[in-house]
Amino acid sequence: MTQELPFHLRGNFAPVKEEITAFDLEVEGALPPQLSGLFARNGANPVTGWSPHWFVGHGMVHGVRLEAGRAAWYRNRYVRTPLFEDPELQRISPTGDVNREASSANTHLVAHAGRLMALEEGAYPWLLDSQLETTGCEDFGGKLRTAFTAHPKICPVTGELLAFGYGQFPPYLTYHRISAQGKLLQSEVIEVPGPTMIHDFAITGRHAIFLDLPVVFDLQAALKGAMPFKWDDDYGARIGVMPRNGKGAELRWFEVEPCYIFHTMNAHEENGAVVVDACRSSEMWREAGDMQGGGGRQTLHRFTLDLASGAVREETLDERGMEFPRIADARVGQKNRYGYTVQFAPAPDGSPSFAGHLKFDFQSGKAESHNYGAQCVAGEPVFAAAPGADSDSDEGFVLSYLHDEKSGKSELVVLDASRFESAPVARVKLPQRVPYGFHGSWVADSA
C-alpha cells in the first residue's frame, strides 16, 4: 500500500505527526563556540497526512538553537495559519476573492527588521517568535495587497528587503521595496504577458532582476486539483532589469533561451553588465506540476546581460545536476567568490533526491564536493559566517539537515566551509527525523 502513495507522502518525505521540544542535544564532534543563534528550516508537512503535491502541505519549521558550543534545543512547530486551522479553506472564493492570509507558509524562513517570517509565494508572510510559535500575519500595515515571494532579498548595504508577488489574475507581477525598519515603501506593477510562475528573482546594488519564463498558470489543471502550472512553448523567455527604486516603465527585457529557473544563486554588476548565476533547467513541467520526470536537469548557469548593447551571453558553469544554491548573506547583490549547492543523486522512482553538497570558488574556478555517505541525503546548504570574517571569504560554516535512509535518523551537520571536503566538525543528533523540505536561514544572535 505504501508504494502506491506519491513520493512526497512516503519515506522521509512523509510528514511527522508530533510537535516536540528537546533540550541539550547530543553532539558528535565539537560545535564552533562562535556559532550563536538559530538554524531553522521550513517544509511541507500536511496536518491531515495527505496533500496532492509536495509543494502544498502545511508549513512546519524545524529549528536548532546553538549557543556557547552546545545545541541548546530542537523544536518543530507548525505555522498556525487559517489554512492550518481549516485544511479545507479555499484561498480563492467562488466569487474570485483572494484570502492572502490563507497560507501554507511552508517554503522559506527569512529574518528581517527583528521579525522571523515564514513564507510561501501565494500569500502574506506569517511571523514566528524566537521559540518558533506563530504570532500573526504580516501585511505591512495593510499596504501589502498582493502575494509575497518566498525568496525576498535583503540588501547587505542598505538593509532593504526587496520582494515581489505574482498571481493568476492581473496584475500578474508586482515588485515591493521594504525599508530596513520593515516599512513597505514601494509597490510597483511589472507588466508581463500572462500568469507566469516566478519562484525567485535576484538583485544587485542598483537593480532588481525578474524572471519571465514559460511555466504558466493552467486553469484546467487547477480545476482538476493538480498543481496548476505547466510549460508553455509559446510564452517566451526573458530576464528583466529595473532600477531598485525605479518604475515599471524603466524595466528592460533581455531575451534568453527557453528555460526555467526555480532558484538564483546571486547577481552582481561588472563591466557594464548584470551577471546572474542560477540553477537552470531547459524545461519544466510538460505535465502540470509533475515532479517525477517533469523537467530537465538543473545545472549551474550564468547569464551576462550587457546594459549598453542589450546583448546576452549564456554559459553553463557546471554540468552536474544541482539545486538549492546559496551564498553568504553578506554578498547578496554583490560579486561573490563562493557559492554552495545541493548535488542531485539518481532516484529509482524519479523523485527529487540529493547526495551531498558542492562548493564553487568563482575566482579560481575550483569546485569541491562533500558526500556524506551512501543513503545519506543532504538538505539546503546554509552559510553561517564566522563573526568578524571578511564578507567574501569562506571563513565560516555550512549548516544543513541530513537524513540517513538506513537508520531513519536525522542530524544537523556543520562543515567548516574553508575545509569543505573534510569531515563535519559537528553532527547534532536530532530527537526525531526531519522530513525532506525546502529553505531556511541561520539567524545569528548578532544579526
Side-chain angles (χ1 to χ4, degrees), residues 15 56 60 95 130 166 186 193 201 221 227 229 232 253 273 295 382 386 431:
V56 298
M60 177 178 276
T95 60
S130 62
Y166 75 88
Q186 179 184 8
F201 81 141
M227 189 71 177
F229 294 95
D232 182 349
W253 290 107
V382 175

Side-chain angles (χ1 to χ4, degrees), residues 6-48:
F7 79 85
H8 67 278
L9 298 176
R10 62 177 189 259
N12 196 48
F13 285 97
V16 292
K17 296 181 179 180
E18 296 183 11
E19 296 174 306
I20 67 173
T21 302
F23 297 96
D24 295 318
L25 309 176
E26 177 187 351
V27 178
E28 179 184 308
L31 282 167
Q34 62 267 50
L35 283 181
S36 183
L38 172 69
F39 176 74
R41 196 223 66 198
N42 211 340
N45 198 93
V47 68
T48 63

Side-chain angles (χ1 to χ4, degrees), residues 189-274:
V189 171
I190 306 297
E191 296 294 337
V192 293
T196 177
M197 176 182 171
I198 306 177
H199 185 68
D200 198 359
F201 81 141
I203 65 167
T204 69
R206 298 188 304 154
H207 292 98
I209 296 105
F210 303 95
L211 308 172
D212 186 22
L213 303 174
V215 169
V216 300
F217 179 70
D218 184 288
L219 178 59
Q220 294 306 311
L223 293 175
K224 295 176 183 177
M227 189 71 177
F229 294 95
K230 68 182 297 186
W231 183 269
D232 182 349
D233 282 315
D234 298 324
Y235 187 83
R238 57 186 188 164
I239 296 177
V241 178
M242 186 185 83
R244 278 186 12 187
N245 61 350
K247 299 293 185 181
E250 299 175 73
L251 186 143
R252 294 179 59 195
W253 290 107
F254 295 78
E255 302 293 327
V256 298
E257 291 297 315
C259 66
Y260 192 72
I261 294 167
F262 273 113
H263 302 112
T264 63
M265 177 177 278
N266 194 32
H268 70 276
E269 296 183 39
E270 186 172 12
N271 300 324
V274 169

